[in-house]
Each structure stands twice: as structure tokens, then as C-alpha cells.
Amino acid sequence: MANRGFVYAATGRDYLTLARRSARALRRVHPEAEIDLFCEEDLEDPVFNRVHRLERVSRRPKMEALLRSRFEHTLYMDADTMVVAQVGDIFDVLDRFDIALTAEQRRNDARNVAQLPEAPVPVAFPVMNGGLIALRRNPRTTRFLTDWQTWVHERHQKFDQPSLRALLYRSDLRMHVLPPEYNVMFFGPFMRLGRAFSAPRILHQPLLHQNPVGDPTTPLGVGDMLNKAQIAQLNQLLCTDQTLPYYRALLDAGGASELASVLPNWLQPTPEAGRNLKLPSRWRVRLRDWLYRPI
């Protein structure tokens, strides 16, 4: 059994395409990584080390993927994520902890405020985002995943994070909460940060699902995740983060003001950057109707 590896799980053509693009982006940062995919078809794609066919096809296949992972230490990522800096240190955390996640950024969103009536949780124990989960294989985590899968599927829950929160609160798992830069779903707060703050490692963009998903053989780019101003801020943060090689490269270059001199081409903005980051009109209408619905 391999010790460390990344896992994706996807059902449906669009999610599968995004998973393939996300994995290609991951390989730019971790070219030697072990990367597996769980999906509903027999797919051949060289970006993955192994492709596993799901035993149960559902909108929430991550629990099965984590349960069946061949790795002792697994980092599961949603299909709409993009790794922009090294994240191998997450695996190091699993040497001491059973599970590692990030807290949900939008904790006042209606879906994240909602509680399961049968399993209330204190507000001070926040919702964890299920789009990035690092897990160490042992009897405790296997039992936890089995319970989570049962809660979501047998209780027909539309969202998996309320039950994830409730089960984590009641579990005996050693849990580590990762810093927010390891799962950046909303970049806005990072726009005001200076050089004393850490740079994002993983971008997470739900709007990718609402627009054309692109070519599965093309890696996700920063222009798929951010607009030009956000890309400029990301590059600044990457080059001033003292834990990343970009910072050391900038020092070696004599502190050159031109960040492009030390950053790879795929981190540079393109003319199309941010073009698909607006909700289509039909989704804006649905969002408006939901926000102003009678309570």
C-alpha cells in the first residue's frame, strides 16, 4: 500500500472533466505525486496513476473514495480546486493527526448556519469545508467515514457538510484545522493582505460548475479561478511567503521587482483571466429568488 497520495472523486461528465483538469494542474506543482481518481466509468487518462470505478454512483462519492483509497495518508480534493503551491506538508500533519480540514469561509451562509435537529453543534465549532480532506487510515477514520456515508446517503441529505460537522464534533478523531490558505474558496479577503500573511496554496472555485468546463486535457489555469487583479495579488503573496521557493528565488534574483522573473508561466495572467467567473443570468435570478424568499 502506498503511503501518501491524492484522490479525486467525480460523477457526471462536467465534474469528471474538471477533475482531470485539476489533476493536471496538481502535476505542475507535484510532478511525482501519486494521484488516483474514482469515477463511474472505465477511464484511461495518463494524468492519474490509477482509476477506480465507483461501486455506488451518487452526487457525493467522496466518502467511498476515501474509504477505498489505497494510501495510508490521503488528500482528497474536489474537482473545482487548483493547487498553486506545494502542499506536501499536509501529509506531514497526518503523522500526528487523524484528519485535517479547513473551516468554511462563509460561516454565516444559510447552508452553513443550518443545524441538524438531531445533532446540534455549538457555533464555536464551525462547519468544515468538505472540498479538501486529509485523512490517515486507521479504525477510527474508517468508522467515521462509514457513519458519514450512512448519514448522507440513507438520510438523503442534499449537502454533506452539516453531517460532517456533527460527526466531527462527536468523534474521537485527532483533528487539525488547516490555515485558510490551504483551501481558498473566496479570494476577496486575501486582496487586503500584505507580506506578513501566508500565500494561498489551493484555490477552490465553485463557479467552475456554472460555466463551460473546458478541455479535460488542459490543466486548470489561474485565469479560470481568479480575475487579473486577484492574480496579481496571488503572485505578490507567493513571492513574499518565506516558506515557498518563489520567495527564495526572488532573493537569489536580488529582490527583482518583476515577479514574472521567478514565477512559472502558468501563474501569469492571460487576456481571458476571470472571464468565466460571473454567474450566468439564470443562476443570478435563482440566487436572488433564494435570498429574498419568504421565511
Side-chain angles (χ1 to χ4, degrees):
M1 180 180 292
N3 186 39
R4 295 177 169 188
F6 297 84
V7 163
Y8 291 90
T11 56
R13 177 58 50 186
D14 286 354
Y15 282 88
L16 182 57
T17 296
L18 287 174
R20 296 169 68 183
R21 297 189 67 196
S22 177
R24 283 174 165 80
L26 170 60
R27 285 229 178 268
R28 290 185 303 211
V29 180
H30 291 284
E32 303 301 322
E34 290 285 319
I35 308 176
D36 284 10
L37 169 70
F38 287 80
C39 63
E40 58 191 312
E41 60 185 73
D42 297 322
L43 175 74
E44 292 187 8
D45 188 333
V47 74
F48 299 109
N49 295 92
R50 298 186 190 180
V51 176
H52 311 268
R53 194 173 184 119
L54 288 164
E55 296 173 353
R56 174 176 184 166
V57 177
S58 73
R59 293 179 62 248
R60 307 292 177 187
K62 69 183 71 172
M63 300 85 161
E64 179 183 335
L66 284 164
L67 280 167
R68 293 175 55 197
S69 170
R70 63 188 174 96
F71 307 115
E72 290 289 344
H73 293 176
T74 298
L75 179 53
Y76 164 84
M77 297 192 302
D78 273 357
D80 54 358
T81 57
M82 177 185 171
V83 174
V84 296
Q86 291 81 353
V87 293
D89 50 331
I90 297 179
F91 293 111
D92 296 334
V93 166
L94 294 178
D95 290 336
R96 291 186 56 83
F97 293 90
D98 295 318
I99 190 170
L101 318 88
T102 59
E104 178 66 51
Q105 284 181 269
R106 294 187 309 173
R107 291 188 290 278
N108 200 40
D109 177 84
R111 289 183 301 176
N112 296 322
V113 170
Q115 296 263 10
L116 297 179
E118 68 275 27
V121 178
V123 174
F125 190 90
V127 174
M128 297 294 157
N129 186 275
L132 183 139
I133 301 174
L135 197 82
R136 177 172 64 180
R137 179 187 300 279
N138 60 41
R140 292 188 301 276
T141 55
T142 298
R143 182 170 60 251
F144 170 82
L145 289 170
T146 302
D147 289 344
W148 188 24
Q149 187 176 47
T150 299
W151 277 43
V152 171
H153 291 152
E154 294 189 5
R155 301 185 186 193
H156 305 290
Q157 294 176 352
K158 185 176 181 180
F159 303 109
D160 56 32
Q161 289 185 173
S163 54
L164 172 63
R165 179 190 188 192
L167 287 168
L168 284 172
Y169 181 68
R170 286 159 174 75
S171 77
D172 59 354
L173 299 182
R174 285 178 53 83
M175 183 180 75
H176 173 66
V177 180
L178 294 164
E181 57 265 25
Y182 284 83
N183 187 2
V184 179
M185 185 173 282
F186 303 98
F187 199 84
F190 285 82
M191 292 299 290
R192 297 177 177 270
L193 303 183
R195 60 186 304 125
F197 293 84
S198 296
R201 268 64 170 170
I202 300 174
L203 305 177
H204 190 170
Q205 181 52 269
L207 289 181
L208 289 176
H209 301 294
Q210 316 304 341
N211 292 284
V213 294
D215 180 356
T217 64
T218 301
L220 287 173
V222 285
D224 296 311
M225 316 296 282
L226 305 173
N227 61 39
K228 291 181 181 179
Q230 291 171 332
I231 294 172
Q233 173 68 352
L234 171 66
N235 289 347
Q236 185 70 42
L237 290 170
L238 288 171
C239 285
T240 55
D241 190 318
Q242 299 178 54
T243 67
L244 296 177
Y246 304 125
Y247 173 78
R248 293 188 290 274
L250 194 63
L251 289 182
D252 293 341
S257 59
E258 183 56 58
L259 302 183
S261 65
V262 299
L263 291 171
N265 289 336
W266 56 266
L267 279 172
Q268 307 303 323
T270 63
E272 298 80 18
R275 179 174 295 177
N276 291 325
L277 296 181
K278 293 183 179 180
L279 278 172
S281 58
R282 69 183 187 280
W283 288 98
R284 290 199 295 270
V285 170
R286 291 182 186 179
L287 178 62
R288 181 201 62 197
D289 292 344
W290 183 85
L291 288 172
Y292 292 98
R293 73 197 188 283
I295 298 177

